[in-house]
């Protein structure tokens, strides 16, 4: 396809549509059609500087003067506009990321709820009036926006994961510079147009497109970025945290996972099998919360594996835009290569392929068959490391203690599930899992009002819920002297 046929996008800086100052551009690929479909600017440090300057200036402009009630009204309007354009945005996400249109349609019709939820908090960011321990003083606190937020998002759910940052940051009164993934840069630009239409002042949301090592790094190193909200791999998250530490910027990190689904002998096996499918094959396994390890009581191992394998083999692979399709391709070439390499290592490490095991020979492209591996060893790569693809590793256990030990024997800690009909065991085990989210007899349910984030190498801080809006505020304490009296200047008191 010639460059002239590609959809031509520009970045959004201070409300203006701009190209990179260098004029550099890159193409984004439709992973199903396997060809470029849009062209976006490749921002360098000078473009990032302009975007951060716009965001910083906007804090001091009309946006900084708005009350929480006024920010709430803007957030509600933005939610309405996203709801109006949900189908159009869903199609764009599918084209850019290869994710199923049926999943993206669901996500896009749900995303407005985040803006409605945080609009409900924008006017409730209250400080406290604190009873003083000194009779001549009164103290109170204010919650102030942290300032310019850098939102760096990956390719697996571009708009949803941006929303998890944008809605609370805007509710708190911050301004934002977004760097979407180079694999899925388009929908952040489209969202910026809706932010403008909703009436947010210029500079409140800016979008710079480009690659991690240049554009992303320039953003994380920028001295005027007060907080970096990042979703992506653990390795990149650690380097982002290093960059932030150099100048003591705040970080909110949502990173990788290797979540476990624990299935006990008394579980409803059909429901558990369905949950296992949802956990690891939905979105072709490309979700941070993928339930990629199945820990199953030895007495039901074969029965449950047979159910999961039967359903995995009936999964319809194909065009992500077709309503009947259940699994699309992987989102990009590096991801396809990573999953293929990890499967080869797993086989070399002695795993047994219960189903799948590699690329789909008929569909070609970036398609990988839904894969179930048994006979794996706890210390091998396929059990310990994030695949971010449709690959399930199955391990048997004999006791509840062993199941918990296995579940927690990972450097990650994002999510997990317990399948049992025993209400005591359900809660007891959930409490002992070292993970930020645990479902009991369910998987892959999230909501705007429930905190989400990881333990250990799965992240720092929480998105969603009331906690998330506080991630974007500083608490200021104000002491007021009430009597006008002077005091000994050489004592603290
Ligand atoms: P990544 O962590 O490399 O990139 C995520 C975002 O960070 C992208 O926007 C990228 O451009 C940017 N980035 C990269 N290097 C940067 C740097 N040095 N400084 C600042 N920003 C930088 O993830 P990816 O390339 O999108 O995917 C790679 C792997 O990450 C996947 O194989 C998968 O295992 C994992 N992943 C995890 C999640 C998750 O939600 N946990 C999401 C996507 C990918």
């Amino acid at each position: 396809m010639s460059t002239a046929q590609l959809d031509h996008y520009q970045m959004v800086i201070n409300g203006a549509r701009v190209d990179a100052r260098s004029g550099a551009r890159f193409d984004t690929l439709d992973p199903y059609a396997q060809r470029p479909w849009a062209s976006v600017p490749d921002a360098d440090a000078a473009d990032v500087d302009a975007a951060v300057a716009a965001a910083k200036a906007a804090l001091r402009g009309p946006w900084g003067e708005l009350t929480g009630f006024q920010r709430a009204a803007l957030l509600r309007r933005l939610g309405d506009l996203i709801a109006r354009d949900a189908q159009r945005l869903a199609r764009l996400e599918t084209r850019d990321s290869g994710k199923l249109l049926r999943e993206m349609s669901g996500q896009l019709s749900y995303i407005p709820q985040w803006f409605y939820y945080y609009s409900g908090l924008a006017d409730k960011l209250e400080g406290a009036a604190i009873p003083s321990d000194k009779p001549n003083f009164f103290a109170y606190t204010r919650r102030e926006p942290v300032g310019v937020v850098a939102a760096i998002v990956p390719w697996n759910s571009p708009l949803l994961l941006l929303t998890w940052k944008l809605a609370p940051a805007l509710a708190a009164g911050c301004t934002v510079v977004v760097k979407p993934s180079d694999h899925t840069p388009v929908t952040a630009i489209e969202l910026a147009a809706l932010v403008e239409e909703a009436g947010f002042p210029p500079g409140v949301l800016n979008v710079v497109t480009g690659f991690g090592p240049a554009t992303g790094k320039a953003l994380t190193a920028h001295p005027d970025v007060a907080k970096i909200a990042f979703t992506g791999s653990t390795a990149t998250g650690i380097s982002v945290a290093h960059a932030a530490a150099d100048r003591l910027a705040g970080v909110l990190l949502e990173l990788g996972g290797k979540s476990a689904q624990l299935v006990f002998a008394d579980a409803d096996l059909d429901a558990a099998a369905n949950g296992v499918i949802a956990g690891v094959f939905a979105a072709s396994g490309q979700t941070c919360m993928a339930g990629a390890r199945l820990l199953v009581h030895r007495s039901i191992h074969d029965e449950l594996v047979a159910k999961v394998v039967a359903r995995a083999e009936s999964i319809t692979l194909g065009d992500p835009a077709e309503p009947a399709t259940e699994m699309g391709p992987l989102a990009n070439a590096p991801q396809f290569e990573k999953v293929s390499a990890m499967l080869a290592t797993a086989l070399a490490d002695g795993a047994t392929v219960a189903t799948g095991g590699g690329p789909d020979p008929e569909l070609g492209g970036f398609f990988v068959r839904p894969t179930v591996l048994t006979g794996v060893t706890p210390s091998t790569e396929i059990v310990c490391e994030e695949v971010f693809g449709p690959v399930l590793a199955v391990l048997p256990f004999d006791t509840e203690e062993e199941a918990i030990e296995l579940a927690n024997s990972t450097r990650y800690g994002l999510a997990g599930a317990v399948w049992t009909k025993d209400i005591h065991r359900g809660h007891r085990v959930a409490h002992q899992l070292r993970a930020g989210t645990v479902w009991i007899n369910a998987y892959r349910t999230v909501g705007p009002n429930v905190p989400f984030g990881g333990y250990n190498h799965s992240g720092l801080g929480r998105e969603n819920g009331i906690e998330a809006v506080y991630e974007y505020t500083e608490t200021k304490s104000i002491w007021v002297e009430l009597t006008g009296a002077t005091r000994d200047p050489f004592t603290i008191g």
Side-chain angles (χ1 to χ4, degrees), residues 398-446:
D398 292 302
T399 66
E400 185 178 305
E401 292 68 31
E402 187 192 358
I404 293 164
E405 172 92 24
L406 274 173
N408 288 340
S409 61
T410 166
R411 68 188 175 109
Y412 298 108
L414 194 61
V418 187
W419 295 87
T420 177
K421 284 186 191 149
D422 178 343
I423 190 168
H424 309 289
R425 173 156 38 208
H427 290 278
R428 187 170 66 228
V429 174
H431 290 195
Q432 291 180 82
L433 295 184
R434 298 281 302 158
T437 295
V438 180
W439 294 280
I440 299 177
N441 296 328
Y443 208 84
R444 209 164 173 250
T445 300
V446 294

Side-chain angles (χ1 to χ4, degrees), residues 335-386:
Q335 192 58 25
F336 176 75
E337 279 147 26
K338 178 186 164 194
V339 173
S340 304
M342 288 187 79
L343 279 171
T345 305
L347 299 190
D349 285 341
T352 303
V353 177
T355 190
D360 188 291
E362 280 168 35
L363 290 165
F366 300 150
F367 280 93
V368 171
R369 298 287 319 160
T371 296
V372 178
L373 301 175
T374 56
V376 295
T377 312
S379 59
T380 51
E381 180 191 70
I382 203 67
V383 176
C384 298
E385 291 305 324
E386 183 178 51

Side-chain angles (χ1 to χ4, degrees), residues 152-156 161 179-183 210-213 216-217 220 230-234 236-237 239-240 254-257 287-288 335 338 386-388 414:
I152 301 181
V153 283
W155 43 260
N156 56 317
L161 297 174
K179 196 209 83 64
S181 167
D182 47 283
H183 296 294
F211 295 83
K217 237 179 176 162
T220 56
F230 171 87
T231 299
S233 63
T234 295
T236 307
S239 71
V240 165
E254 207 269 88
L255 308 177
T287 81
C288 51
Q335 192 58 25
K338 178 186 164 194
E386 183 178 51
V387 178
F388 225 69
L414 194 61

